[in-house]
Amino acid sequence: MSEPKVTGPASYFPSIEKTYGKPIAEWKALVRAGYPARHMELVAMLKERHGMGHGHANAIVAHTLAEDKPAG
């Protein structure tokens, strides 16, 4: 059986790792180090400090914030 197709922000992860040379866990750690900050402030940080494109930065931030969102 084939694996299910990855959708949403995580679908960008292979390209991000290939393009920028760091595993997603490192990018997520950078986002978390920027807390507390708003979504677009974190996106801007990845773009300005690390040269990441908007779509890639947005995908990492969105996925990380969704993981860290309190339940309930």
Side-chain angles (χ1 to χ4, degrees):
M1 294 182 91
S2 63
E3 295 192 26
K5 183 173 171 82
V6 177
T7 60
S11 66
Y12 287 90
F13 290 177
S15 176
I16 292 168
E17 289 180 333
K18 181 179 179 183
T19 302
Y20 304 103
K22 290 183 183 178
I24 294 303
E26 285 187 35
W27 292 115
K28 287 182 174 188
L30 287 170
V31 169
R32 290 179 174 116
Y35 289 176
R38 293 185 163 170
H39 181 107
M40 290 310 295
E41 292 170 332
L42 295 165
V43 169
M45 178 271 298
L46 291 175
K47 291 168 65 176
E48 292 166 10
R49 294 187 195 166
H50 302 283
M52 191 171 279
H54 182 81
H56 286 164
N58 191 58
I60 290 173
V61 171
H63 197 272
T64 305
L65 292 176
E67 278 186 339
D68 294 353
K69 184 177 180 182

